[in-house]
Structures are given as C-alpha cells and as structure tokens.
Amino acid sequence: MTFRTTMAFRLVLLAGLAASPALAQENENPLPEKQAWSFAGPLGKYNTAQLQRGYQVYREVCSNCHSMHFLSFRNLSDAGGPSFSDGQVKALAASYKVQDGPNDSGDMFERAGRASDPFPQPFANEQAARAANGGALPPDMSVLAKARDIEGAWYSFLLGPFSTYQEQGVDYIHALLNGYSETPKGFTLPSGKYYNEYFPGHAISMPKPLNDGQVDYSDGSPKTVDQYAHDVSAFLAWTSEPKLNQRKNMGFNAIVFLIVFASLLYAVKRRIWAGLHDVSGTPIDHAAE
Amino acid sequence: MSGPSTYVPQNGFLRWFESRLPIIGLVHSSFIAFPNPRNLNYFWTFGGILAFMLIEQIVTGLVLAMHYTPESSMAFASVEHIMRDVNYGWLLRYLHANGATMFFIAVYIHIARNLYYGSYKAPREILFILGVIIFLLMMATAFMGYVLPWGQMSFWGAKVITSLFSAIPFVGDSITTWLWGGYSVGNATLNRFFALHYLMPFMILGVVVLHIWALHIPGSNNPVGVEVKSQKDTLPFHPYFTVKDAFSLVCFMVVFAYFVFYAPNYFGHSDNYIEANPLVTPAHIVPEWYFLPYYAMLRAVPSKLGGVCALFGSILLLAFLPWLDTSRVRSSNFRPVYRAFLFLFFATVIGLGYCGSQEPVGSVVVWSEILTAWYFIHLLIVLPLLGFFETPRKMPASITEAVLGPKGASAAMVGARAAAEPSVKG
Ligand code: HEM
C-alpha cells in the first residue's frame, strides 16, 4: 500500500513536471561558467594566498570606484580571511590619511589610519560617484558576491537543495570581468557604455577594469586578466561571507553529531517498541503500570 | 490536558504543591500518560517538530533582536553587523532565516498529513481551525520578519503585499496608508513590522496551547482513521512517543543543519543583499518560497480585487474543510478515488508554487489560471461530491486489528473487554 501510494505520488509529480518545460524562460545571457573555487562544497576553505592577491587587485584597481562599507583594515588579519599579520595591517592602515575630529578646539584634522578604521571611500558621496562614472553608481562591494545570482534551469528548484554549491554570484563576477568583448554588429551601444557579454542588457557603465600585467603580483602567480578575476572574485566571496571557514567546520561537527545521536535514538526506539508491531508481540497491559 | 489527572505526587512537597497548582499533573497527563493510538506513523511526529521550531525561532529571534536596529537607514547595516561582528551572529541569523523555512516545510507536511488522513473531520474541527489560525499567524510573522533585513526584496515584497489592501473598495487606500504609517513603505513601516514580528510568535504560542488542548480532548487521529475503541489500541505517550518524536526531530535537525551550514542562502534571494532602495525596482519581485502558491493565485486573477480574494479565500477555505468533505471515512487509505484527487491537489499546489516563482508571461499565466481554478474546484466541488459517490474500501474493525491482524486483535480484545470503560481521554 505504501509503495503504491508513493508511486502514485511520483507519477502525479512527474506528470506535472513534464508539462512545465513549456514554462521555462529563454536565457538571453550566456550562463557564467562554474569555476573550481577552493571554498566551494562542504569541506571548502578560503585559500589565504589567493585572498591576499585578491585584496591587492581590489586595492589597486576596484577601490578607485567601489566602496566597501562593512570592512575595516582589522578584518584583513581575521582568521579565515587573508590573514595578514597585525603588523602588516597596521602598516597598511597607516599608509592612508584619515580625517578625524572634531578635536578639543573644534577642528577636523588628518591623521594616519589605524587598523580599526573602515576602508576608505573612493567618493565623498553618491552624487560624486555618479558624476565620475557617467551617471552610474559603482555598487558597494561588501556583500556584492552574495547579491548576484545566476538564473538556473527550470528544474533547478528540485536539484538546488541537494547541491552545496553556493558560488553562483562569485562565478558571475569572474565571468563579468572576463566578459568584455567587441560590440557585435547590430547592437547599438549607448555612449559611455561598454559591451559585456554577461551583464544583463550587455551595456555596462564600468570600463574594462582589468588588463594583463596591470597588477604586480609578488608570489609568481600569472599576471593575466583571468588570474586577477579569479583572485578578486575569491576576495569578494570572503568579504561577503567572512565566516565561511568557521561555518563549514562547525557544520561538519554538528552534522556528524546529529547523525550519531539519531542512530542511538533509533536503536532505543527499536528496543522500546520491540514486539509491538506484529502478531507475536504481547500487547502491554499499561493499565497495570 | 483535560479531565482529572492520574498523577500521584511522590512526596509531601509535591502533594502540597499539586493541591494548590496542579500543573505537574497537567504535564503528566498531557505528555507522559496521554494515550496515543499505537499505529501512528512518522507523519505524526511533525507536531513535535513544529513545537520545537517555534521555540527555536523565538530563542534565536530574541538574541537577534538584541543586536538588530529597526531603523530604515541602519537596519541593513545592523544585520551585516550581526553577520560580521557579533559572536556567532552569522549562526543565529542563518538559524533564524532557515528556521523559518524549516518551520514552513514542517507545517506543510503537517497540513498534508491532515488532508491525507482526514484528521479535520469530527470531532476535530476546532482543532483543525486552530491550526489554520496558526498557519495564518505564521505567514504574517514570516512576512514581517522578511522585511526586517531591509534589503531590496524586503522592501519591494512589503510594498507589493501591503498594496494589496488598496484593492478593497472605498477604504482601500486609507487602509494602506494606515498600514504603512505614511504615504509609502518607510521607516514607520519597518518599526511597526518589527514590533509585530516580535509580538506574533507569542500569539502563535498561545494558539498552540489551545491547539494541544483541543487535541487532547479527542486524542490523535491515526492512519486507519478508526477511533480508539479500547485501551489496547493505545500506548502511553512516554516512552513510546517521546522516543519516536525525538528520533524524528533529530533527523529533521540534520536537514536543518545541512541548510544552515552548507546552503544558508539557498532559500533566500540574492537581491536581499542589496540595501532597500525605493527608487530602483528589482527586475523580478518574488516572495519567499512558502508564499509562492498564493502569489501565483494572486496574479492569476486579472482583477486586483479578485486576485486578493483568491489569495485569502484559498487559505480561509481550508477552515471549512470539515464541512466541505462530506465523507465520513477519514483515512485516504480507504478512499482510492479521493486519494488520487488529493495527490492531484498536492501537485496543483506545487505547480502553483512554480508558477509563482516565474515571471507572469506566456504559458505561466495560462498554467496559473488553470491551477488556481482547479484548486477551488477541488475544494468546492470535487470534495463535497466525492463523499456521495465514492465507495470506500473495507476498514479494519479497530486500530489493534490494523496493527496486529484479525487474530492478534481478537487475542488482545479479550484483555480489553476485561478492562472496564477505557480512558481514552487524557
Ligand atoms: C514564528 C516565529 C518566527 C518566524 C517564522 C520568523 C521569521 C523571520 C524571517 C523570515 C526573518 C528574515 C530573515 C532574513 O532573511 O534575514 C526574520 C528576521 C528577524 N526576526 Fe524573526 N521569526 C520568528 C520569530 C521571531 C521572534 C520571536 C523574534 C524576536 C524576539 C524575532 C526577531 C527577528 C529579528 C530581529 C529579525 C531581523 C534579523 C534578520 O533579518 O536576520 N523573530 N524572522
């Protein structure tokens, strides 16, 4: 009976699904390719060297236009992040001038940055940022990697829950940075815009930010756009999910514990219920209890 | 939870206490001695799971509220502060956000169980209606909770849903303004939603107490749908059902933990990591997954008022199920035709959910309309008529017979007859 029930249910479900491909949407943008991120999957971890390179790309290139409100220099030495030493972070912060104040005489003053200072803003306000970027606002980068997604296939709502792959936003940023190309014939690009295969609508206000050889890596990694794009995307993954290492670690322990606990409970349950299911069992007279 | 308790206090202090406030006896008769049908399957463990989830949401919510700022220019940043700077704040928030999802998964299974086993039928109508009220309160709570992080989907979801009230003739616009506390969704809206989001779980808790009280009058229904006839049909709640519920709960927690630790944003929407901006409308506004079937119905009806009526009607109709279903047979196991229609109904709801997640163009619109129509046809026409036309299968004479077979049952019945009037009530 139970078998028939589940079969009937599956058939109805399948019939419903078979009818729905007609509902699937056409995807006008190519799907960004899945990359092999070190932090994907249940045992994934950030790669410290990659985060350090990514920070370099961010600082030298992206930070000229993109702010990062929710990060401070001190975060760069957090465990599970780029893990710069405290000394490196202090020196780095001190290389920036920060406005502080007012002091006791009521004046604003400049001082060297400290580790507790937030990352500097590239523009004084939104209007200034727009004015410098042809009217477009470069989005804040703190949680950018979680704020972008890739539209999956129509059946992805069935498979999605079983996949631990959460890196769609990172894949998108990587693809976007590699997606600049010649404007195809027949596409009219508004002035001040650039053609990008992966940007929705293809006309993006951000000029191609990365070129080969632009950032000088000191660890011997290739100085190519693809490498830069990987590194800065990984860095943005960390800024948007700084506790990922801790989360996946704890998750492994929690799930192992719960499975062991469930198995023990199942054994106890079997023991307590023994004999109550079949004819041979003597029903317990619990009136007597 | 009703009637005198069989609890016997073990010492002088407890006797003294119990004679003044018989609360230990109440707990004893409700969760220790309470006789449950012995044939309950694992679908009956979701009630316990739901109680656990409610407490889990209240506990994590309480700690989140200590760090959260309900002010429109600071709310988004305060959630990021929770994620980054509060010790284990990321864990609390992911537990709370995914907890809402797991709560709804459990409640949908719980409701589907009731539909399949006809648990809403006499004498459990009030119990079922209290359940529908809990479901409505849960939806209101989750909707307002989703507004709190003040991302793009928070803001625009709030805007779309609250604007629905403007469809009410004559007073609609005034009601919407009153709900918003202004002429658009803004700081005043966020503040009141936070206050209500904090309040409503405790209202749910109150209704849950009534729900359990109403359950303990007739006792649980069971997979064969035959009422308990003798004590042999039941087993005491403890240890039989405490251990079974505990096992099921821990299995459920494995799934919960999987989402919290490995796919914490799977059920969320990426746009909610962009701070709310009244000037930028997202390309595609979708509510959380558990509202999608109703959202599809809302959009399926061409007129706004009609859509709102379909939305609320689809849930309110559930409260009338005990009278819409005219068959006296509870369990679908003995109603093959009803069972087929019921699975079609489940597929309809899943299909509506899919339509709700898609942009309303082309075939999505047509399917939404067909499925919405079928949702109402099922409840208003198929259900009442089936009771008259369907011939149910032969049912076992008792729960014990269903479990042990006719032979075991007759052996057991000998003992049962010896025991006087069975105490079915707890
Ligand atoms: C029925 C129980 C509850 C449900 C279903 C529920 C649901 C939700 C949902 C869906 C969110 C949005 C999560 C997100 O996307 O970030 C949320 C946020 C929130 N809830 Fe609840 N909640 C419940 C109980 C409570 C209680 C009792 C409190 C307070 C005592 C509370 C406090 C909060 C706070 C402060 C937030 C904002 C922080 C955040 O967005 O993570 N919740 N809730």
Side-chain angles (χ1 to χ4, degrees):
Chain A
M1 175 104 68
T2 15
F3 173 68
R4 289 242 311 275
T5 309
T6 47
M7 271 315 282
F9 179 65
R10 279 186 207 143
L11 283 179
V12 172
L13 194 69
L14 279 180
L17 292 180
S20 30
L23 307 178
Q25 301 281 308
E26 288 238 341
N27 227 326
E28 54 163 295
N29 281 14
L31 280 183
E33 230 175 280
K34 233 175 155 173
Q35 305 295 314
W37 301 111
S38 67
F39 45 91
L43 299 172
K45 294 263 172 294
Y46 289 121
N47 175 336
T48 311
Q50 184 174 44
L51 293 189
Q52 296 197 353
R53 290 195 302 270
Y55 173 64
Q56 191 184 353
V57 177
Y58 167 73
R59 184 164 57 99
E60 291 179 18
V61 186
C62 322
S63 72
N64 290 310
C65 300
H66 291 273
S67 61
M68 210 177 258
H69 284 301
F70 299 124
L71 275 96
S72 303
F73 290 112
R74 65 179 165 83
N75 295 125
L76 292 171
S77 57
D78 286 349
S83 305
F84 287 107
S85 71
D86 289 340
Q88 281 173 308
V89 171
K90 256 191 201 143
L92 180 80
S95 69
Y96 289 88
K97 286 266 163 285
V98 175
Q99 204 192 43
D100 202 348
N103 61 14
D104 291 345
S105 49
D107 300 320
M108 303 302 280
F109 60 93
E110 283 216 326
R111 61 162 172 80
R114 302 187 193 115
S116 57
D117 284 325
F119 282 6
Q121 313 271 337
F123 301 102
N125 49 51
E126 182 182 330
Q127 286 74 2
R130 285 190 190 275
N133 284 285
L137 179 70
D140 184 83
M141 279 191 157
S142 318
V143 269
L144 193 57
K146 284 200 291 195
R148 293 293 181 276
D149 201 358
I150 297 173
E151 181 101 18
W154 67 269
Y155 50 80
S156 62
F157 79 101
L158 284 176
L159 302 181
F162 304 104
S163 155
T164 53
Y165 196 76
Q166 292 258 300
E167 280 64 37
Q168 288 83 359
V170 197
D171 283 338
Y172 168 75
I173 295 176
H174 170 266
L176 185 83
L177 296 173
N178 283 299
Y180 287 87
S181 63
E182 289 294 311
T183 312
K185 285 207 183 65
F187 187 91
T188 40
L189 197 66
S191 73
K193 303 264 180 186
Y194 307 85
Y195 187 84
N196 190 303
E197 274 189 66
Y198 294 95
F199 189 70
H202 300 305
I204 188 169
S205 301
M206 169 168 72
K208 185 174 193 289
L210 295 169
N211 293 294
D212 287 346
Q214 186 177 356
V215 179
D216 201 13
Y217 282 157
S218 58
D219 67 352
S221 300
K223 299 174 194 175
T224 59
V225 170
D226 190 55
Q227 184 67 35
Y228 296 150
H230 267 110
D231 295 345
V232 78
S233 304
F235 177 71
L236 294 178
W238 170 73
T239 62
S240 56
E241 189 71 7
K243 302 293 162 68
L244 177 140
N245 283 9
Q246 193 189 3
R247 164 160 67 77
K248 293 192 173 177
N249 233 331
M250 187 193 274
F252 186 77
N253 296 335
I255 288 178
V256 168
F257 168 78
L258 287 172
I259 289 176
V260 171
F261 190 27
S263 319
L264 291 176
L265 278 172
Y266 186 64
V268 175
K269 192 253 163 194
R270 284 287 297 259
R271 198 58 185 279
I272 289 177
W273 283 77
L276 286 171
H277 293 292
D278 49 42
V279 187
S280 61
T282 327
I284 296 179
D285 182 7
H286 45 83
E289 276 179 50
Chain B
M1 233 178 201
S2 63
S5 169
T6 55
Y7 169 67
V8 185
Q10 296 297 315
N11 65 42
F13 172 73
L14 289 179
R15 255 191 307 280
W16 176 87
F17 190 89
E18 188 67 9
S19 64
R20 283 155 179 81
L21 180 66
I23 193 166
I24 307 175
L26 181 73
V27 171
H28 184 269
S29 57
S30 306
F31 303 107
I32 310 252
F34 186 72
N36 243 354
R38 59 189 295 170
N39 60 337
L40 298 188
N41 60 29
Y42 276 99
F43 284 109
W44 264 264
T45 61
F46 281 86
I49 289 173
L50 284 163
F52 172 83
M53 290 313 294
L54 178 61
I55 301 303
E56 182 271 345
Q57 287 300 91
I58 288 179
V59 171
T60 53
L62 208 66
V63 186
L64 285 173
M66 296 173 189
H67 300 281
Y68 170 79
T69 314
E71 204 278 330
S72 60
S73 65
M74 287 144 86
F76 186 83
S78 77
V79 171
E80 277 308 310
H81 160 72
I82 291 171
M83 294 295 286
R84 289 159 196 275
D85 300 327
V86 174
N87 287 333
Y88 296 102
W90 58 270
L91 178 60
L92 285 169
R93 173 164 183 252
Y94 281 158
L95 281 172
H96 196 76
N98 288 282
T101 276
M102 297 307 286
F103 203 170
F104 274 92
I105 290 179
V107 88
Y108 277 122
I109 295 176
H110 192 69
I111 295 174
R113 187 277 316 259
N114 294 333
L115 299 192
Y116 186 90
Y117 294 109
S119 301
Y120 46 80
K121 293 182 192 182
R124 296 183 181 81
E125 301 95 321
I126 298 291
L127 169 62
F128 183 73
I129 290 172
L130 287 168
V132 175
I133 292 172
I134 294 173
F135 182 50
L136 280 169
L137 286 172
M138 274 176 69
M139 302 227 278
T141 308
F143 163 68
M144 294 190 193
Y146 195 60
V147 177
L148 302 186
W150 210 239
Q152 275 288 68
M153 275 306 155
S154 298
F155 180 90
W156 290 95
K159 184 138 186 157
V160 169
I161 301 301
T162 48
S163 303
L164 294 180
F165 290 91
S166 67
I168 302 170
F170 309 117
V171 292
D173 285 329
S174 316
I175 290 185
T176 314
T177 310
W178 178 72
L179 283 175
W180 285 342
Y183 293 101
S184 74
V185 175
N187 188 47
T189 325
L190 177 60
N191 266 290
R192 61 191 54 195
F193 277 20
F194 178 57
L196 291 172
H197 183 70
Y198 206 133
L199 168 70
M200 290 184 118
F202 296 94
M203 294 168 64
I204 297 179
L205 195 61
V207 186
V208 166
V209 171
L210 297 182
H211 190 69
I212 296 176
W213 188 4
L215 167 70
H216 285 184
I217 302 295
S220 291
N221 182 30
N222 63 80
V224 283
V226 180
E227 283 297 321
V228 168
K229 295 204 170 110
S230 77
Q231 207 168 17
K232 297 290 158 195
D233 288 345
T234 70
L235 291 169
F237 197 81
H238 182 73
Y240 297 100
F241 295 93
T242 38
V243 71
K244 192 170 172 178
D245 280 359
F247 167 61
S248 184
L249 174 62
V250 175
C251 290
F252 188 79
M253 284 163 74
V254 172
V255 182
F256 186 15
Y258 167 83
F259 284 114
V260 167
F261 293 110
Y262 293 128
N265 292 305
Y266 175 73
F267 290 106
H269 195 291
S270 55
D271 276 7
N272 230 25
Y273 281 107
I274 304 173
E275 188 167 1
N277 183 346
L279 302 176
V280 180
T281 318
H284 185 187
I285 303 174
V286 274
E288 298 135 283
W289 69 268
Y290 32 85
F291 295 135
L292 290 174
Y294 311 102
Y295 191 54
M297 290 193 225
L298 170 74
R299 297 189 307 189
V301 184
S303 97
K304 193 171 173 188
L305 183 59
V308 174
C309 290
L311 173 76
F312 289 109
S314 64
I315 301 164
L316 290 181
L317 258 190
L318 292 180
F320 295 95
L321 267 183
W323 298 279
L324 286 169
D325 187 343
T326 48
S327 167
R328 309 268 316 259
V329 178
R330 293 197 184 90
S331 173
S332 295
N333 287 352
F334 305 103
R335 297 184 64 191
V337 185
Y338 169 70
R339 186 166 69 182
F341 274 108
L342 186 63
F343 283 129
L344 188 61
F345 182 69
F346 291 159
T348 305
V349 175
I350 294 171
L352 278 168
Y354 180 76
C355 291
S357 73
Q358 298 300 307
E359 278 178 72
V361 285
S363 56
V364 173
V365 179
V366 182
W367 274 102
S368 305
E369 284 166 359
I370 296 174
L371 296 175
T372 304
W374 184 255
Y375 184 98
F376 287 98
I377 291 173
H378 175 88
L379 290 180
L380 292 173
I381 300 175
V382 176
L383 213 48
L385 289 184
L386 262 188
F388 296 111
F389 292 112
E390 186 179 15
T391 330
R393 293 208 184 109
K394 187 180 167 317
M395 301 206 285
S398 73
I399 292 174
T400 311
E401 185 187 308
V403 178
L404 302 181
K407 242 177 76 197
S410 54
M413 284 310 276
V414 178
R417 240 171 267 132
E421 176 61 13
S423 84
V424 187
K425 303 183 175 174

